[in-house]
Amino acid sequence: TSGPRPPVVYLHFAECTGCTEGVLRSTYPWIDELLLETISMDYHETIMAAAGHSVEEVLHQTVKKYEGKFICVVEGAIPTADNGIYGMIGGKTMLEIAKEVCPKSLAVLCIGSCSSFGGVQAAAPNPTGAKSVSEALGDALKVPVVNIPGCPPNPINFVGTVVNYLLFGKLPDLDAHKRPLFAYGKTVHDQCPRRSHFENGEFVTEWGSKEAQMGYCLYEMGCKGPETFNNCPLVKFNDGTSWPVEAGHPCIGCSEPNFWDAMSPFYET
Ligand code: SF4
Ligand code: SF4
Ligand code: F3S
């Protein structure tokens, strides 16, 4: 009784597949409901049963059939040095594939900090010239981009963006880094349950200490929550089980641009 499910093409470039692992653990909705009832995942190298030339043909046919109508999800940065030869799939560079597929979509959703901002591949000295999708394609991209950063991002932020489009027929409102405001509108610090310890000057200064056991603020151990925009304290990971600070680890700023360089050292002891 519902309309046709919107086609989705999910591209993997220079990445670790952690973002896919996160999405496959989506619980709201469950991943089977997302894949079988909500969207039509027509191309995704990790979960496709087929391989080789037949799937390359699927990609080609899907882009041709649904030009201007499919959502293109990109996981991973795009190597651009030496004409992109440091990342190749089926004899084509990732840069070529991105130039061929992304501009024909209705919008590009960059899942994870790699496709959003370059990620670990783009960390200094960045030998492969890895860039975000927006940087690598520049004006050739032509279609709207939504960045859903995090390493990995919470799947709920990805699913929320897709559902926003399905329900309202438009992409969500974005911040200056093209991140959806519904997920990245506030800092981790402003939503952190340890905030009262911060205000009271109650800090952890040594791993394994009494203060660490008491859940004091991790700012002096290097927590980047005050500079990081994300909703981790609110939605948590793994069906609301926990998130880095709740597990006793400082936020390392994984949803901010260039966090591998800009936020390090991650630990201050
Ligand atoms: Fe892996 Fe992080 Fe890149 Fe996702 S953003 S592909 S988890 S390195
Ligand atoms: Fe802020 Fe981090 Fe302290 Fe939480 S643990 S209050 S995010 S500095
Ligand atoms: Fe990343 Fe910090 Fe959340 S490290 S997962 S933005 S708590």
Side-chain angles (χ1 to χ4, degrees):
T1 55
S2 60
R5 293 173 288 143
V8 176
V9 167
Y10 192 120
L11 301 173
H12 292 269
F13 293 144
E15 42 84 331
C16 77
T17 316
C19 296
T20 284
E21 291 291 343
V23 169
L24 293 179
R25 283 154 188 77
S26 169
T27 54
Y28 190 69
W30 290 93
I31 186 64
D32 52 352
E33 191 185 332
L34 180 71
L35 293 180
L36 301 175
E37 296 174 23
T38 314
I39 61 172
S40 174
M41 187 69 86
D42 290 354
Y43 184 87
H44 189 305
E45 290 156 16
T46 311
I47 58 175
M48 290 172 96
H53 294 299
S54 59
V55 297
E56 282 167 38
E57 189 55 25
V58 169
L59 177 60
H60 181 68
Q61 291 301 332
T62 305
V63 171
K64 194 170 160 194
K65 184 174 174 189
Y66 296 110
E67 185 166 346
K69 295 182 185 141
F70 69 94
I71 296 170
C72 182
V73 182
V74 180
E75 177 173 349
I78 302 178
T80 63
D82 300 324
N83 292 321
I85 57 164
Y86 303 110
M88 301 192 73
I89 303 166
K92 285 184 184 172
T93 66
M94 293 167 176
L95 185 58
E96 285 172 321
I97 297 169
K99 282 181 178 169
E100 200 176 299
V101 176
C102 296
K104 292 183 181 144
S105 66
L106 72 85
V108 173
L109 307 187
C110 291
I111 185 165
S113 291
C114 294
S115 53
S116 296
F117 303 133
V120 68
Q121 289 71 222
N126 190 3
T128 66
K131 292 183 177 175
S132 68
V133 174
S134 295
E135 279 180 312
L137 298 192
D139 291 341
L141 187 51
K142 295 183 191 140
V143 297
V145 175
V146 178
N147 289 330
I148 306 163
C151 192
N154 196 306
I156 207 164
N157 296 342
F158 169 72
V159 174
T161 303
V162 173
V163 170
N164 189 97
Y165 177 75
L166 296 180
L167 285 178
F168 304 115
K170 66 182 185 79
L171 296 167
D173 293 336
L174 308 177
D175 72 3
H177 296 298
K178 299 181 182 166
R179 300 177 291 197
L181 282 168
F182 75 80
Y184 302 90
K186 290 183 185 168
T187 63
V188 168
H189 189 59
D190 281 347
Q191 304 165 88
C192 182
R194 299 192 184 203
R195 179 65 183 263
S196 58
H197 292 303
F198 177 89
E199 301 299 340
N200 292 336
E202 296 165 347
F203 298 106
V204 177
T205 54
E206 192 183 343
W207 299 117
S209 63
K210 186 162 61 72
E211 290 76 14
Q213 287 171 12
M214 290 166 70
Y216 278 12
C217 173
L218 296 165
Y219 186 70
E220 295 195 2
M221 303 304 283
C223 185
K224 306 299 187 297
E227 305 142 74
T228 304
F229 289 79
N230 209 334
N231 57 359
C232 315
L234 193 66
V235 297
K236 304 185 183 180
F237 287 81
N238 296 324
D239 201 20
T241 302
S242 190
W243 64 289
V245 168
E246 187 172 331
H249 193 284
C251 169
I252 62 171
C254 78
S255 54
E256 291 303 304
N258 309 318
F259 82 97
W260 291 99
D261 292 330
M263 296 291 188
S264 58
F266 294 141
Y267 301 102
E268 288 171 24
T269 53

